[in-house]
Amino acid sequence: MKMLWILAMKELRDGFRNRWVAAAIVVLGVLALALSVLGSAPTGSVRVSELDISVVSLASLSVYLIPLIALMLSFDAMVGEFERGTMMLLLTYPVTRWQIIMGKFLGHVLILSIAILVGYGGAAVVLTLVTGFSTEGWPAYATMMVSSVVLGSVFIALGYLVSVLVRERATAIGAAIGLWLVFVVLYDLLLFGALTMDKDQLIGQQLFSMLMLVSPTDTYRVLNLSSFEGVSEAAGIAGVASEAGLSGTLLISVMLMWVIAPLISTLLVFQRREL
Amino acid sequence: MQMAASKSIIQPVISVDSVSKVYAGETVVSEVDFKVQPGECVVLVGHNGAGKTTLMKLMLGLTRPSSGTVKVFGGNPAVSGAVAQHKSLGYLPESVAFYDAMSGREVLAFYARLKGVSSNDCERLLESVGLGGAAGRRVGTYSKGMRQRLGLAQAMLGNPRLLFLDEPTTGLDPGLRHQFYELIDAMHKEGVTSLISSHALSEVEARANRFIIMKAGVMIAGGTLDELYLQAALPVRLQLSVAAGQASSIAERLGSGLTIDEIGDERLHLSCFNGDKMPLIRRISALGDLVSDLQIMPPRLDEVYSHFMNGDRP
């Protein structure tokens, strides 16, 4: 455990040193504020809280942004150290390969958590100060922040898997962009296309729910847009998830599977790797 | 109990047993055998690509042998259980690389934490390798020599019992080289076992207990300096100062078992094999006043080395 902490702290310090943390906080915070300000305009007479509306717009933004930030943090984690030769030296220290992966993971998740907490959290505090405090909307907002960390963890883990599989950093960048495109853009595009073409309604409720669980970004979307009543009303998809039989626990578990599976695969590849 | 105690005394720190390593169809190490006893300083000699670095990686558990067995501290270094042993070993890789964005002090502190060494030791080590003044600078701005010194400092963290140094003096100027070997000598006196790879034999000559000469993945010779001389069977050269004009007649009288290299006016250069040396010296001394001086020159170490490297295996 001590080893994990030492390795995680190194990653965290690196994150602060190269202004990664600062940049992520600024990007997330500014966009969250901007969306909240813009989003609060058309509220009109619908009785939903400011924060609920923020969750809708932020969740939609996070689906694009969080995986991108996570992949940028992680694509270099393994291949960079192999290429520079620092991994070889690190492995002659009293650390196991499992500890190296988990230490890095812990550090990178901490970086992302700090960025989300300060960026999104800060924006929520500002919004509350402007519009007046109400307890309404906070559970949904908190869920959005926590699930954003989990979504980020999914892509940090996927980034490691890419990073341990390729031989060069340049390939890792390409593969990371590919992963982002597939999970963030292409899958949804294909699914949307299939749904529009599906005139005979072959894709029933059951199948649709399954398809939502295949991509971690969609799981995240469903979790945030439909778990809380106020949010679903604001998003205009009231009750989708409950009808689809997707509970919050199931959704979070599926996302956690997306964290664990790539991490284990990374470890298995790393264990067999010879330097 | 006594059995166990005596066994631990004779147990070698490193034993390499008919080890081969094949990388992508290419044999980089072939059937290598040797042992390193506690407190020994063994030098791996050979050109680039001779398999020295691969041997070190095998002993560090960074890669696994294709056949044969490697044991360090009595166990397989490539299993995850061997990681605990890493506390008592130090490694300086060839052209060592660090995290460039960190300062020298931060790099050393990071490695120290992994080894459970206090940060006071870091400052002392930085001073001892002459990096005290540059410790706050980013490693990315360091020169090759400074990196090498930082590399040495990290290898010495936590008083290791076993040191692996891969081409440790490349990039160091002569003054630093000297300082470096003083550090190694000091550790050696404390009973540290070390394995050093080098392509410069003369530099490590005085430090090593034993040499292992590698060529194209094959261990072509191994042993102490004296053993290497014997194995190489290179001729001993003799230089005689003789009475004027007598050189050729003396050469004839000395008879067989020698080669005449050069006949001067008052000088005679001979060479013979080690086994023929003593009979020859006796014959020379029997010549009495005709020979006024005799110098015996054993083969130089670089001759021994180039003998092995040029392929004529004994």
Side-chain angles (χ1 to χ4, degrees):
Chain A
M1 203 54 211
K2 194 176 151 234
M3 287 297 171
L4 289 189
W5 193 243
I6 294 168
L7 292 161
M9 279 301 115
K10 182 200 164 282
E11 294 300 330
L12 191 62
R13 271 201 210 100
D14 286 349
F16 278 106
R17 191 187 300 109
N18 60 24
R19 312 259 190 314
W20 242 111
V21 178
I25 288 176
V26 168
V27 169
L28 292 178
V30 166
L31 282 169
L33 267 183
L35 282 177
S36 308
V37 171
L38 293 174
S40 60
T43 317
S45 57
V46 185
R47 283 195 65 258
V48 283
S49 86
E50 304 284 345
L51 280 180
D52 282 342
I53 296 169
S54 298
V55 169
V56 176
S57 38
L58 275 183
S60 313
L61 172 77
S62 298
V63 162
Y64 294 90
L65 211 53
I66 300 280
L68 196 65
I69 291 176
L71 285 168
M72 283 170 79
L73 269 176
S74 61
F75 83 89
D76 195 37
M78 306 299 286
V79 73
E81 294 222 25
F82 286 128
E83 220 175 79
R84 288 184 206 102
T86 47
M87 187 63 88
M88 198 167 75
L89 189 56
L90 187 57
L91 284 172
T92 65
Y93 276 78
V95 286
T96 60
R97 297 186 180 209
W98 173 83
Q99 285 171 327
I100 291 176
I101 292 174
M102 288 313 290
K104 277 176 181 290
F105 181 71
L106 192 63
H108 283 147
V109 170
L110 272 176
I111 290 177
L112 198 72
S113 306
I114 291 170
I116 288 172
L117 192 73
V118 178
Y120 284 180
V125 170
V126 170
L127 198 64
T128 319
L129 289 179
V130 174
T131 61
F133 184 78
S134 92
T135 47
E136 227 182 325
W138 275 102
Y141 201 86
T143 304
M144 193 272 295
M145 291 210 291
V146 172
S147 60
S148 294
V149 171
V150 180
L151 180 68
S153 308
V154 168
F155 282 88
I156 288 172
L158 285 170
Y160 289 168
L161 184 55
V162 161
S163 198
V164 80
L165 283 171
V166 301
R167 291 275 157 186
E168 282 170 45
R169 295 185 68 207
T171 326
I173 297 175
I177 293 172
L179 265 184
W180 185 83
L181 276 177
V182 167
F183 282 116
V184 175
V185 183
L186 286 179
Y187 183 79
D188 283 0
L189 215 59
L190 287 176
L191 190 58
F192 186 71
L195 283 174
T196 23
M197 308 243 307
D198 183 29
K199 296 228 164 54
D200 303 327
Q201 306 238 315
L202 291 172
I203 303 174
Q205 186 74 60
Q206 284 281 313
L207 184 57
F208 182 74
S209 308
M210 293 294 289
L211 289 171
M212 282 283 133
L213 291 177
V214 169
S215 162
T217 48
D218 282 315
T219 315
Y220 170 87
R221 224 192 297 257
V222 173
L223 177 70
N224 279 294
L225 297 187
S226 55
S227 294
F228 292 90
E229 205 183 315
V231 180
S232 345
E233 271 174 30
I237 53 164
V240 168
S242 52
E243 269 175 47
L246 301 171
S247 71
T249 328
L250 175 69
L251 291 166
I252 282 283
S253 312
V254 167
M255 288 181 79
L256 288 177
M257 286 302 296
W258 273 100
V259 179
I260 294 162
L263 278 182
I264 291 176
S265 314
T266 305
L267 179 65
L268 291 177
V269 177
F270 189 27
Q271 290 284 19
R272 294 179 51 188
R273 181 77 171 257
E274 296 187 74
L275 285 104
Chain B
M1 277 312 284
Q2 263 188 329
M3 277 286 287
S6 63
K7 199 182 166 198
S8 72
I9 290 165
I10 52 157
Q11 193 181 48
V13 177
I14 300 170
S15 73
V16 173
D17 196 8
S18 58
V19 163
S20 299
K21 179 68 190 174
V22 182
Y23 270 127
E26 201 184 333
T27 307
V28 285
V29 167
S30 172
E31 295 289 320
V32 171
D33 273 294
F34 65 85
K35 283 184 171 54
V36 178
Q37 304 299 336
E40 264 194 315
C41 175
V42 174
V43 174
L44 285 169
V45 208
H47 296 321
N48 289 332
K52 294 170 291 170
T53 299
T54 308
L55 270 176
M56 283 207 180
K57 286 183 179 177
L58 285 164
M59 291 180 260
L60 286 160
L62 293 172
T63 120
R64 289 174 288 269
S66 308
S67 65
T69 52
V70 179
K71 278 187 177 173
V72 176
F73 295 127
N76 179 1
V79 296
S80 58
V83 159
Q85 307 269 12
H86 289 184
K87 255 201 160 87
S88 41
L89 64 83
Y91 172 46
L92 172 60
E94 187 183 6
S95 56
V96 59
F98 295 108
Y99 305 101
D100 283 349
M102 291 164 93
S103 71
R105 181 176 287 118
E106 284 173 319
V107 165
L108 201 61
F110 170 62
Y111 289 124
R113 263 179 243 125
L114 290 177
K115 261 192 176 172
V117 176
S118 85
S119 52
N120 295 342
D121 287 11
C122 290
E123 290 304 317
R124 189 180 52 77
L125 273 173
L126 283 167
E127 287 297 332
S128 76
V129 295
L131 283 176
R137 267 170 53 192
R138 283 179 61 235
V139 175
T141 66
Y142 279 19
S143 68
K144 178 106 173 44
M146 291 166 87
R147 272 167 217 261
Q148 200 71 12
R149 280 184 277 163
L150 185 58
L152 188 65
Q154 65 78 29
M156 298 200 300
L157 277 169
N159 301 315
R161 287 193 290 138
L162 174 60
L163 271 180
F164 292 94
L165 307 170
D166 199 351
E167 304 277 355
T169 55
T170 37
L172 296 187
D173 58 52
L176 284 170
R177 238 166 242 233
H178 181 73
Q179 214 183 326
F180 168 81
Y181 280 115
E182 278 182 349
L183 284 169
I184 299 296
D185 281 344
M187 297 197 79
H188 203 204
K189 283 201 185 79
E190 287 168 28
V192 175
T193 311
S194 54
L195 195 79
I196 304 176
S197 92
S198 178
H199 54 256
L201 232 178
S202 51
E203 198 180 286
V204 287
E205 178 181 358
R207 267 106 196 156
N209 300 100
R210 230 141 41 77
F211 298 89
I212 289 165
I213 302 181
M214 297 287 299
K215 186 185 179 186
V218 180
M219 179 175 154
I220 53 172
T224 62
L225 218 47
D226 293 339
E227 287 166 352
L228 287 183
Y229 280 126
L230 275 178
Q231 283 180 40
L234 285 176
V236 181
R237 278 189 297 265
L238 293 93
Q239 190 179 317
L240 281 65
S241 301
V242 297
Q246 297 290 317
S248 45
S249 72
I250 289 172
E252 271 171 46
R253 286 172 63 181
L254 285 173
S256 63
L258 58 91
T259 316
I260 294 159
D261 296 330
E262 193 189 329
I263 299 179
D265 187 34
E266 297 183 9
R267 207 183 292 268
L268 186 58
H269 290 256
L270 307 171
S271 54
C272 71
F273 286 106
N274 209 43
D276 298 329
K277 187 175 69 185
M278 288 315 293
L280 180 61
I281 290 172
R282 277 183 222 111
R283 272 178 277 152
I284 291 169
S285 63
L287 292 170
D289 287 344
L290 284 173
V291 180
S292 58
D293 192 20
L294 167 65
Q295 281 187 45
I296 303 166
M297 291 166 287
R300 291 194 316 274
L301 189 61
D302 52 352
E303 289 176 305
V304 174
Y305 182 52
S306 62
H307 163 82
F308 284 119
M309 291 326 273
N310 291 339
D312 16 301
R313 285 179 74 171

